[in-house]
Amino acid sequence: MRKRLAILGATGSVGVSTLKIVEDFPDRFEVAALAAGRNTELLAGQVRRFRPRVVSVIDERAAADLAGRLGGIDVEILTGPAGAARVAAGEGVDLVVSAFVGATGLEPTWAAIEAGHDVALANKEVLVMAGELVMAHARRRNVRILPVDSEHAAVHQCLAGQRREDVRRVLLTASGGPFRTTPRERLREVTPAQALRHPNWDMGPKITVDSASLMNKGLEMIEARWLFDLPPDAIDVVIHPQSIVHSLVEFIDGSVMAQLGVPDMRGPIAYALALPERLPLSMERLDLTRVGTLTFEPPDLEKFPALGLASRALRDGGTQPAVLNAANEAAVGAFLEGKIAFTAIPETIRRAMDAHTARPLKEIGDAIAADAWAREHAARVIASLSI
Ligand SMILES: NC(=O)c1ccc[n+]([C@@H]2O[C@H](COP(=O)([O-])OP(=O)(O)OC[C@H]3O[C@@H](n4cnc5c(N)ncnc54)[C@H](OP(=O)(O)O)[C@@H]3O)[C@@H](O)[C@H]2O)c1
């Protein structure tokens, strides 16, 4: 039986890599449904190639454009958040690949869980905003949340067959991004083009900027807290510029397990798609003699305050991580549009967090309300910090 996939974010970096795997293993996977935003040219090609029954795009304009490109192809075209939720919750789906970017992914991922579908989760912001509720919902619905992020896929592999009470801590690796060696006083002037030049990974623009600020690692700490039910103190970060060791787990006896591989997202995506089996992927193999040296260093929290802010949100809990996430999304958007300096990203987040009193999360509406509040607050901060 082929696994039937619904892919949220089909036109993004993770979505396209997922479809490459489907293409390479046609007897293992089929595409039931796709959701995307505005890239109707790419989506139309995917619909022709993979023939999903249903697709969703961001709005009516994109839907009309897609319909025009598809001519007579028989596919139901849906729109907006309700369309994405239907793609995620549709019948005849075995696994939902959640790969929208940002807060947009929360509601369709929730809908997938509600429908009882397993989720391969790339969209870490879902767990940052409402990890406690999402994981509890998954347990109630008997749904598996499988990590796609390479670090969390690594931790998942290191934990396989181990007793949770034997884990001392998880160590997430970070490349350090394009500004690892840039002097702190130069960070104010770095441009979006420089921030988008990641040394090791080819990813969408938001996560690439998050990698440059180290916020990506902060979001991943919060993601790890919920995915693996770890206390905040048991999650650490180490800079590893080669991106070969994808993360590590230390056990109470001092033993440390690590997962290694070349930096190619097809590895962790295929792991989540095929679990508990492994796929014979045709990609570059890890040759440690060619890599030669693996290095590790502590993160510089003064130079990259975003990581400290994420730790703070992790400890505050409740609605604070949703505020951190929303303020970051707003600030990254403003930075990419050339409105604020790179260093104004953590400043915007800090001010939003300072102005917010964390409340417990009782329902996902609480996370969505905190997100909306933080975006409004961040917009005012961004206006005041504009260059
Ligand atoms: N890229 C990686 O290697 C990587 C690795 C680990 C984790 N992740 C995580 O995976 C997620 C996706 O990352 P990515 O790099 O693949 O992002 P991306 O390349 O920017 O793709 C984002 C996808 O979401 C769609 N989208 C965005 N906003 C939407 C909206 N409002 N409604 C409907 N669709 C919307 C985009 O559609 P259009 O383009 O059609 O508008 C696109 O398909 C992020 O949470 C990221 O942190 C990514």
Side-chain angles (χ1 to χ4, degrees), residues 9-15 35-39 58 99-102 104 122-125 149-150 201-205 207 216 265:
T11 51
S13 161
V14 171
R38 296 195 186 282
N39 191 345
I58 195 161
F100 276 162
V101 60
T104 311
N123 190 179
K124 65 195 82 183
E125 294 91 342
D149 236 333
S150 59
W201 296 94
D202 183 12
M203 311 180 287
I207 183 177
N216 183 46
M265 278 307 290

PDB file of all heavy atoms in Angstrom, residues 9-15 35-39 58 99-102 104 122-125 149-150 201-205 207 216 265, ligand 1:
ATOM      1  N   GLY A   9       2.333  23.599   2.040  1.00  0.00           N
ATOM      2  CA  GLY A   9       3.579  24.273   1.681  1.00  0.00           C
ATOM      3  C   GLY A   9       4.307  23.546   0.566  1.00  0.00           C
ATOM      4  O   GLY A   9       5.545  23.481   0.560  1.00  0.00           O
ATOM      5  N   ALA A  10       3.534  23.004  -0.375  1.00  0.00           N
ATOM      6  CA  ALA A  10       4.112  22.177  -1.449  1.00  0.00           C
ATOM      7  C   ALA A  10       5.124  22.948  -2.295  1.00  0.00           C
ATOM      8  O   ALA A  10       6.078  22.360  -2.821  1.00  0.00           O
ATOM      9  CB  ALA A  10       2.990  21.646  -2.343  1.00  0.00           C
ATOM     10  N   THR A  11       4.937  24.262  -2.424  1.00  0.00           N
ATOM     11  CA  THR A  11       5.810  25.050  -3.303  1.00  0.00           C
ATOM     12  C   THR A  11       7.036  25.600  -2.572  1.00  0.00           C
ATOM     13  O   THR A  11       7.847  26.300  -3.174  1.00  0.00           O
ATOM     14  CB  THR A  11       5.019  26.222  -3.920  1.00  0.00           C
ATOM     15  OG1 THR A  11       4.355  26.911  -2.835  1.00  0.00           O
ATOM     16  CG2 THR A  11       3.982  25.740  -4.910  1.00  0.00           C
ATOM     17  N   GLY A  12       7.155  25.299  -1.284  1.00  0.00           N
ATOM     18  CA  GLY A  12       8.299  25.804  -0.517  1.00  0.00           C
ATOM     19  C   GLY A  12       9.480  24.855  -0.600  1.00  0.00           C
ATOM     20  O   GLY A  12       9.424  23.797  -1.255  1.00  0.00           O
ATOM     21  N   SER A  13      10.537  25.232   0.089  1.00  0.00           N
ATOM     22  CA  SER A  13      11.766  24.442   0.051  1.00  0.00           C
ATOM     23  C   SER A  13      11.530  23.010   0.569  1.00  0.00           C
ATOM     24  O   SER A  13      11.906  22.034  -0.091  1.00  0.00           O
ATOM     25  CB  SER A  13      12.812  25.194   0.888  1.00  0.00           C
ATOM     26  OG  SER A  13      13.839  24.378   1.274  1.00  0.00           O
ATOM     27  N   VAL A  14      10.861  22.865   1.715  1.00  0.00           N
ATOM     28  CA  VAL A  14      10.594  21.526   2.247  1.00  0.00           C
ATOM     29  C   VAL A  14       9.598  20.786   1.349  1.00  0.00           C
ATOM     30  O   VAL A  14       9.758  19.589   1.069  1.00  0.00           O
ATOM     31  CB  VAL A  14      10.066  21.606   3.702  1.00  0.00           C
ATOM     32  CG1 VAL A  14       9.569  20.246   4.185  1.00  0.00           C
ATOM     33  CG2 VAL A  14      11.150  22.138   4.631  1.00  0.00           C
ATOM     34  N   GLY A  15       8.563  21.509   0.874  1.00  0.00           N
ATOM     35  CA  GLY A  15       7.554  20.888   0.008  1.00  0.00           C
ATOM     36  C   GLY A  15       8.180  20.310  -1.256  1.00  0.00           C
ATOM     37  O   GLY A  15       7.902  19.158  -1.642  1.00  0.00           O
ATOM     38  N   ALA A  35      -1.250  22.006  -0.629  1.00  0.00           N
ATOM     39  CA  ALA A  35      -1.636  23.384  -0.312  1.00  0.00           C
ATOM     40  C   ALA A  35      -0.424  24.277  -0.473  1.00  0.00           C
ATOM     41  O   ALA A  35       0.695  23.888  -0.107  1.00  0.00           O
ATOM     42  CB  ALA A  35      -2.166  23.475   1.114  1.00  0.00           C
ATOM     43  N   ALA A  36      -0.660  25.461  -1.026  1.00  0.00           N
ATOM     44  CA  ALA A  36       0.430  26.418  -1.230  1.00  0.00           C
ATOM     45  C   ALA A  36      -0.117  27.829  -1.058  1.00  0.00           C
ATOM     46  O   ALA A  36      -1.291  28.019  -0.705  1.00  0.00           O
ATOM     47  CB  ALA A  36       1.037  26.235  -2.617  1.00  0.00           C
ATOM     48  N   GLY A  37       0.739  28.802  -1.334  1.00  0.00           N
ATOM     49  CA  GLY A  37       0.333  30.194  -1.218  1.00  0.00           C
ATOM     50  C   GLY A  37       0.014  30.778  -2.579  1.00  0.00           C
ATOM     51  O   GLY A  37      -1.079  30.573  -3.116  1.00  0.00           O
ATOM     52  N   ARG A  38       1.008  31.482  -3.157  1.00  0.00           N
ATOM     53  CA  ARG A  38       0.758  32.200  -4.422  1.00  0.00           C
ATOM     54  C   ARG A  38       1.549  31.667  -5.610  1.00  0.00           C
ATOM     55  O   ARG A  38       1.382  32.161  -6.727  1.00  0.00           O
ATOM     56  CB  ARG A  38       1.154  33.670  -4.265  1.00  0.00           C
ATOM     57  CG  ARG A  38       0.335  34.405  -3.255  1.00  0.00           C
ATOM     58  CD  ARG A  38       0.505  35.910  -3.377  1.00  0.00           C
ATOM     59  NE  ARG A  38      -0.199  36.538  -2.280  1.00  0.00           N
ATOM     60  CZ  ARG A  38      -1.515  36.695  -2.254  1.00  0.00           C
ATOM     61  NH1 ARG A  38      -2.245  36.318  -3.279  1.00  0.00           N
ATOM     62  NH2 ARG A  38      -2.101  37.239  -1.210  1.00  0.00           N
ATOM     63  N   ASN A  39       2.434  30.735  -5.395  1.00  0.00           N
ATOM     64  CA  ASN A  39       3.279  30.284  -6.509  1.00  0.00           C
ATOM     65  C   ASN A  39       2.501  29.291  -7.385  1.00  0.00           C
ATOM     66  O   ASN A  39       2.744  28.080  -7.364  1.00  0.00           O
ATOM     67  CB  ASN A  39       4.565  29.669  -5.972  1.00  0.00           C
ATOM     68  CG  ASN A  39       5.583  29.439  -7.078  1.00  0.00           C
ATOM     69  OD1 ASN A  39       5.242  29.479  -8.268  1.00  0.00           O
ATOM     70  ND2 ASN A  39       6.820  29.182  -6.698  1.00  0.00           N
ATOM     71  N   ILE A  58      -3.789  30.449  -1.541  1.00  0.00           N
ATOM     72  CA  ILE A  58      -4.006  31.444  -0.491  1.00  0.00           C
ATOM     73  C   ILE A  58      -5.331  32.208  -0.639  1.00  0.00           C
ATOM     74  O   ILE A  58      -5.985  32.506   0.358  1.00  0.00           O
ATOM     75  CB  ILE A  58      -2.792  32.406  -0.417  1.00  0.00           C
ATOM     76  CG1 ILE A  58      -2.803  33.201   0.879  1.00  0.00           C
ATOM     77  CG2 ILE A  58      -2.707  33.307  -1.629  1.00  0.00           C
ATOM     78  CD1 ILE A  58      -1.464  33.820   1.247  1.00  0.00           C
ATOM     79  N   ALA A  99       4.366  21.937   6.235  1.00  0.00           N
ATOM     80  CA  ALA A  99       5.541  22.721   5.829  1.00  0.00           C
ATOM     81  C   ALA A  99       5.168  24.108   5.318  1.00  0.00           C
ATOM     82  O   ALA A  99       5.835  24.678   4.460  1.00  0.00           O
ATOM     83  CB  ALA A  99       6.358  21.958   4.784  1.00  0.00           C
ATOM     84  N   PHE A 100       4.053  24.661   5.859  1.00  0.00           N
ATOM     85  CA  PHE A 100       3.863  26.100   5.699  1.00  0.00           C
ATOM     86  C   PHE A 100       4.943  26.768   6.527  1.00  0.00           C
ATOM     87  O   PHE A 100       5.563  26.134   7.384  1.00  0.00           O
ATOM     88  CB  PHE A 100       2.502  26.535   6.272  1.00  0.00           C
ATOM     89  CG  PHE A 100       1.335  26.356   5.327  1.00  0.00           C
ATOM     90  CD1 PHE A 100       0.040  26.354   5.836  1.00  0.00           C
ATOM     91  CD2 PHE A 100       1.499  26.224   3.965  1.00  0.00           C
ATOM     92  CE1 PHE A 100      -1.060  26.210   5.010  1.00  0.00           C
ATOM     93  CE2 PHE A 100       0.413  26.076   3.119  1.00  0.00           C
ATOM     94  CZ  PHE A 100      -0.869  26.070   3.651  1.00  0.00           C
ATOM     95  N   VAL A 101       5.111  28.083   6.335  1.00  0.00           N
ATOM     96  CA  VAL A 101       6.063  28.779   7.189  1.00  0.00           C
ATOM     97  C   VAL A 101       5.274  29.687   8.140  1.00  0.00           C
ATOM     98  O   VAL A 101       4.291  30.298   7.742  1.00  0.00           O
ATOM     99  CB  VAL A 101       7.109  29.562   6.348  1.00  0.00           C
ATOM    100  CG1 VAL A 101       6.490  30.614   5.457  1.00  0.00           C
ATOM    101  CG2 VAL A 101       8.170  30.179   7.223  1.00  0.00           C
ATOM    102  N   GLY A 102       5.691  29.695   9.410  1.00  0.00           N
ATOM    103  CA  GLY A 102       5.108  30.620  10.369  1.00  0.00           C
ATOM    104  C   GLY A 102       3.784  30.184  10.963  1.00  0.00           C
ATOM    105  O   GLY A 102       3.361  29.028  10.835  1.00  0.00           O
ATOM    106  N   THR A 104       0.820  30.616  10.165  1.00  0.00           N
ATOM    107  CA  THR A 104      -0.202  30.130   9.222  1.00  0.00           C
ATOM    108  C   THR A 104      -0.438  28.626   9.359  1.00  0.00           C
ATOM    109  O   THR A 104      -1.518  28.140   9.067  1.00  0.00           O
ATOM    110  CB  THR A 104       0.281  30.391   7.771  1.00  0.00           C
ATOM    111  OG1 THR A 104       0.702  31.736   7.714  1.00  0.00           O
ATOM    112  CG2 THR A 104      -0.775  30.126   6.747  1.00  0.00           C
ATOM    113  N   ALA A 122       7.499  20.039   9.743  1.00  0.00           N
ATOM    114  CA  ALA A 122       8.631  20.931   9.470  1.00  0.00           C
ATOM    115  C   ALA A 122       8.367  22.294  10.099  1.00  0.00           C
ATOM    116  O   ALA A 122       9.271  22.954  10.607  1.00  0.00           O
ATOM    117  CB  ALA A 122       8.822  21.086   7.963  1.00  0.00           C
ATOM    118  N   ASN A 123       7.108  22.664  10.083  1.00  0.00           N
ATOM    119  CA  ASN A 123       6.656  24.012  10.491  1.00  0.00           C
ATOM    120  C   ASN A 123       6.768  24.180  12.015  1.00  0.00           C
ATOM    121  O   ASN A 123       5.806  24.086  12.758  1.00  0.00           O
ATOM    122  CB  ASN A 123       5.181  24.147  10.032  1.00  0.00           C
ATOM    123  CG  ASN A 123       4.599  25.525  10.142  1.00  0.00           C
ATOM    124  OD1 ASN A 123       3.447  25.736   9.793  1.00  0.00           O
ATOM    125  ND2 ASN A 123       5.352  26.485  10.644  1.00  0.00           N
ATOM    126  N   LYS A 124       8.022  24.439  12.458  1.00  0.00           N
ATOM    127  CA  LYS A 124       8.296  24.446  13.911  1.00  0.00           C
ATOM    128  C   LYS A 124       7.489  25.487  14.664  1.00  0.00           C
ATOM    129  O   LYS A 124       7.225  25.354  15.852  1.00  0.00           O
ATOM    130  CB  LYS A 124       9.787  24.655  14.133  1.00  0.00           C
ATOM    131  CG  LYS A 124      10.318  25.991  13.690  1.00  0.00           C
ATOM    132  CD  LYS A 124      11.842  25.989  13.608  1.00  0.00           C
ATOM    133  CE  LYS A 124      12.328  25.379  12.310  1.00  0.00           C
ATOM    134  NZ  LYS A 124      13.757  25.275  12.167  1.00  0.00           N
ATOM    135  N   GLU A 125       7.088  26.569  13.940  1.00  0.00           N
ATOM    136  CA  GLU A 125       6.347  27.643  14.623  1.00  0.00           C
ATOM    137  C   GLU A 125       5.051  27.125  15.253  1.00  0.00           C
ATOM    138  O   GLU A 125       4.547  27.698  16.208  1.00  0.00           O
ATOM    139  CB  GLU A 125       6.041  28.782  13.628  1.00  0.00           C
ATOM    140  CG  GLU A 125       7.292  29.525  13.119  1.00  0.00           C
ATOM    141  CD  GLU A 125       7.891  28.926  11.839  1.00  0.00           C
ATOM    142  OE1 GLU A 125       7.589  27.748  11.502  1.00  0.00           O
ATOM    143  OE2 GLU A 125       8.665  29.645  11.164  1.00  0.00           O
ATOM    144  N   ASP A 149      12.502  18.736  11.015  1.00  0.00           N
ATOM    145  CA  ASP A 149      13.698  19.541  11.276  1.00  0.00           C
ATOM    146  C   ASP A 149      14.876  18.578  11.464  1.00  0.00           C
ATOM    147  O   ASP A 149      14.757  17.585  12.201  1.00  0.00           O
ATOM    148  CB  ASP A 149      13.489  20.322  12.590  1.00  0.00           C
ATOM    149  CG  ASP A 149      13.670  21.805  12.389  1.00  0.00           C
ATOM    150  OD1 ASP A 149      14.418  22.183  11.477  1.00  0.00           O
ATOM    151  OD2 ASP A 149      13.065  22.576  13.147  1.00  0.00           O
ATOM    152  N   SER A 150      16.018  18.862  10.834  1.00  0.00           N
ATOM    153  CA  SER A 150      17.122  17.892  10.865  1.00  0.00           C
ATOM    154  C   SER A 150      17.608  17.635  12.300  1.00  0.00           C
ATOM    155  O   SER A 150      17.953  16.505  12.648  1.00  0.00           O
ATOM    156  CB  SER A 150      18.276  18.385   9.998  1.00  0.00           C
ATOM    157  OG  SER A 150      18.733  19.625  10.468  1.00  0.00           O
ATOM    158  N   TRP A 201      22.884  25.341   4.233  1.00  0.00           N
ATOM    159  CA  TRP A 201      21.554  24.855   3.889  1.00  0.00           C
ATOM    160  C   TRP A 201      20.890  25.795   2.893  1.00  0.00           C
ATOM    161  O   TRP A 201      21.054  27.011   2.967  1.00  0.00           O
ATOM    162  CB  TRP A 201      20.666  24.787   5.143  1.00  0.00           C
ATOM    163  CG  TRP A 201      21.108  23.825   6.195  1.00  0.00           C
ATOM    164  CD1 TRP A 201      21.889  24.117   7.283  1.00  0.00           C
ATOM    165  CD2 TRP A 201      20.780  22.424   6.301  1.00  0.00           C
ATOM    166  NE1 TRP A 201      22.064  22.980   8.040  1.00  0.00           N
ATOM    167  CE2 TRP A 201      21.404  21.943   7.482  1.00  0.00           C
ATOM    168  CE3 TRP A 201      20.012  21.547   5.521  1.00  0.00           C
ATOM    169  CZ2 TRP A 201      21.288  20.611   7.889  1.00  0.00           C
ATOM    170  CZ3 TRP A 201      19.904  20.230   5.937  1.00  0.00           C
ATOM    171  CH2 TRP A 201      20.535  19.764   7.106  1.00  0.00           C
ATOM    172  N   ASP A 202      20.086  25.203   1.986  1.00  0.00           N
ATOM    173  CA  ASP A 202      19.334  25.990   1.009  1.00  0.00           C
ATOM    174  C   ASP A 202      17.869  25.944   1.441  1.00  0.00           C
ATOM    175  O   ASP A 202      17.207  24.924   1.284  1.00  0.00           O
ATOM    176  CB  ASP A 202      19.539  25.347  -0.375  1.00  0.00           C
ATOM    177  CG  ASP A 202      18.847  26.148  -1.452  1.00  0.00           C
ATOM    178  OD1 ASP A 202      18.432  27.285  -1.166  1.00  0.00           O
ATOM    179  OD2 ASP A 202      18.705  25.618  -2.573  1.00  0.00           O
ATOM    180  N   MET A 203      17.349  27.038   2.024  1.00  0.00           N
ATOM    181  CA  MET A 203      16.027  27.005   2.654  1.00  0.00           C
ATOM    182  C   MET A 203      15.238  28.255   2.280  1.00  0.00           C
ATOM    183  O   MET A 203      15.751  29.167   1.647  1.00  0.00           O
ATOM    184  CB  MET A 203      16.195  26.970   4.186  1.00  0.00           C
ATOM    185  CG  MET A 203      17.175  25.920   4.675  1.00  0.00           C
ATOM    186  SD  MET A 203      17.346  25.900   6.474  1.00  0.00           S
ATOM    187  CE  MET A 203      18.294  27.384   6.791  1.00  0.00           C
ATOM    188  N   GLY A 204      13.975  28.300   2.698  1.00  0.00           N
ATOM    189  CA  GLY A 204      13.141  29.472   2.452  1.00  0.00           C
ATOM    190  C   GLY A 204      13.689  30.701   3.173  1.00  0.00           C
ATOM    191  O   GLY A 204      14.519  30.579   4.084  1.00  0.00           O
ATOM    192  N   PRO A 205      13.235  31.922   2.765  1.00  0.00           N
ATOM    193  CA  PRO A 205      13.837  33.152   3.297  1.00  0.00           C
ATOM    194  C   PRO A 205      13.656  33.357   4.802  1.00  0.00           C
ATOM    195  O   PRO A 205      14.574  33.806   5.481  1.00  0.00           O
ATOM    196  CB  PRO A 205      13.134  34.271   2.513  1.00  0.00           C
ATOM    197  CG  PRO A 205      11.947  33.648   1.851  1.00  0.00           C
ATOM    198  CD  PRO A 205      12.251  32.187   1.707  1.00  0.00           C
ATOM    199  N   ILE A 207      13.285  31.166   7.416  1.00  0.00           N
ATOM    200  CA  ILE A 207      14.160  30.325   8.253  1.00  0.00           C
ATOM    201  C   ILE A 207      15.632  30.676   8.012  1.00  0.00           C
ATOM    202  O   ILE A 207      16.456  30.577   8.919  1.00  0.00           O
ATOM    203  CB  ILE A 207      13.897  28.804   8.021  1.00  0.00           C
ATOM    204  CG1 ILE A 207      14.773  27.954   8.951  1.00  0.00           C
ATOM    205  CG2 ILE A 207      14.063  28.390   6.605  1.00  0.00           C
ATOM    206  CD1 ILE A 207      14.558  26.464   8.867  1.00  0.00           C
ATOM    207  N   ASN A 216      16.423  30.794  14.854  1.00  0.00           N
ATOM    208  CA  ASN A 216      15.996  29.452  14.431  1.00  0.00           C
ATOM    209  C   ASN A 216      16.330  28.428  15.514  1.00  0.00           C
ATOM    210  O   ASN A 216      15.518  27.547  15.830  1.00  0.00           O
ATOM    211  CB  ASN A 216      16.666  29.089  13.108  1.00  0.00           C
ATOM    212  CG  ASN A 216      16.193  27.743  12.587  1.00  0.00           C
ATOM    213  OD1 ASN A 216      14.992  27.472  12.574  1.00  0.00           O
ATOM    214  ND2 ASN A 216      17.109  26.890  12.206  1.00  0.00           N
ATOM    215  N   MET A 265      18.152  18.215   3.227  1.00  0.00           N
ATOM    216  CA  MET A 265      16.866  18.003   3.905  1.00  0.00           C
ATOM    217  C   MET A 265      16.148  16.738   3.460  1.00  0.00           C
ATOM    218  O   MET A 265      15.219  16.283   4.131  1.00  0.00           O
ATOM    219  CB  MET A 265      15.950  19.215   3.700  1.00  0.00           C
ATOM    220  CG  MET A 265      16.218  20.362   4.661  1.00  0.00           C
ATOM    221  SD  MET A 265      16.196  19.841   6.403  1.00  0.00           S
ATOM    222  CE  MET A 265      14.464  19.504   6.654  1.00  0.00           C
TER     223      MET A 265
HETATM  224  N1  LIG B   1      13.731  24.756   4.278  1.00  0.00           N
HETATM  225  C1  LIG B   1      14.309  23.917   5.115  1.00  0.00           C
HETATM  226  O1  LIG B   1      15.318  23.295   4.790  1.00  0.00           O
HETATM  227  C2  LIG B   1      13.728  23.705   6.499  1.00  0.00           C
HETATM  228  C3  LIG B   1      14.403  22.887   7.395  1.00  0.00           C
HETATM  229  C4  LIG B   1      13.842  22.653   8.635  1.00  0.00           C
HETATM  230  C5  LIG B   1      12.648  23.250   8.991  1.00  0.00           C
HETATM  231  N2  LIG B   1      12.014  24.059   8.096  1.00  0.00           N
HETATM  232  C6  LIG B   1      10.743  24.684   8.490  1.00  0.00           C
HETATM  233  O2  LIG B   1       9.768  24.290   7.532  1.00  0.00           O
HETATM  234  C7  LIG B   1       8.848  25.353   7.316  1.00  0.00           C
HETATM  235  C8  LIG B   1       8.850  25.677   5.829  1.00  0.00           C
HETATM  236  O3  LIG B   1      10.114  26.200   5.489  1.00  0.00           O
HETATM  237  P1  LIG B   1      10.545  26.447   3.979  1.00  0.00           P
HETATM  238  O4  LIG B   1      11.979  26.831   4.029  1.00  0.00           O
HETATM  239  O5  LIG B   1      10.109  25.307   3.141  1.00  0.00           O
HETATM  240  O6  LIG B   1       9.676  27.745   3.652  1.00  0.00           O
HETATM  241  P2  LIG B   1       9.372  28.383   2.205  1.00  0.00           P
HETATM  242  O7  LIG B   1      10.336  27.872   1.205  1.00  0.00           O
HETATM  243  O8  LIG B   1       9.272  29.851   2.417  1.00  0.00           O
HETATM  244  O9  LIG B   1       7.932  27.778   1.844  1.00  0.00           O
HETATM  245  C9  LIG B   1       6.783  28.146   2.545  1.00  0.00           C
HETATM  246  C10 LIG B   1       5.577  27.479   1.930  1.00  0.00           C
HETATM  247  O10 LIG B   1       4.390  27.914   2.615  1.00  0.00           O
HETATM  248  C11 LIG B   1       3.503  28.531   1.685  1.00  0.00           C
HETATM  249  N3  LIG B   1       2.824  29.626   2.386  1.00  0.00           N
HETATM  250  C12 LIG B   1       3.398  30.642   3.064  1.00  0.00           C
HETATM  251  N4  LIG B   1       2.436  31.432   3.606  1.00  0.00           N
HETATM  252  C13 LIG B   1       1.245  30.900   3.222  1.00  0.00           C
HETATM  253  C14 LIG B   1      -0.111  31.266   3.466  1.00  0.00           C
HETATM  254  N5  LIG B   1      -0.453  32.342   4.176  1.00  0.00           N
HETATM  255  N6  LIG B   1      -1.085  30.467   2.931  1.00  0.00           N
HETATM  256  C15 LIG B   1      -0.759  29.386   2.208  1.00  0.00           C
HETATM  257  N7  LIG B   1       0.523  29.002   1.947  1.00  0.00           N
HETATM  258  C16 LIG B   1       1.503  29.757   2.464  1.00  0.00           C
HETATM  259  C17 LIG B   1       4.367  29.006   0.547  1.00  0.00           C
HETATM  260  O11 LIG B   1       3.567  29.126  -0.615  1.00  0.00           O
HETATM  261  P3  LIG B   1       3.966  30.020  -1.929  1.00  0.00           P
HETATM  262  O12 LIG B   1       5.438  29.963  -2.049  1.00  0.00           O
HETATM  263  O13 LIG B   1       3.215  29.297  -3.003  1.00  0.00           O
HETATM  264  O14 LIG B   1       3.434  31.398  -1.692  1.00  0.00           O
HETATM  265  C18 LIG B   1       5.355  27.822   0.463  1.00  0.00           C
HETATM  266  O15 LIG B   1       4.751  26.725  -0.146  1.00  0.00           O
HETATM  267  C19 LIG B   1       9.306  26.502   8.207  1.00  0.00           C
HETATM  268  O16 LIG B   1       8.595  26.485   9.408  1.00  0.00           O
HETATM  269  C20 LIG B   1      10.759  26.200   8.476  1.00  0.00           C
HETATM  270  O17 LIG B   1      11.204  26.706   9.715  1.00  0.00           O
HETATM  271  C21 LIG B   1      12.526  24.285   6.870  1.00  0.00           C
END
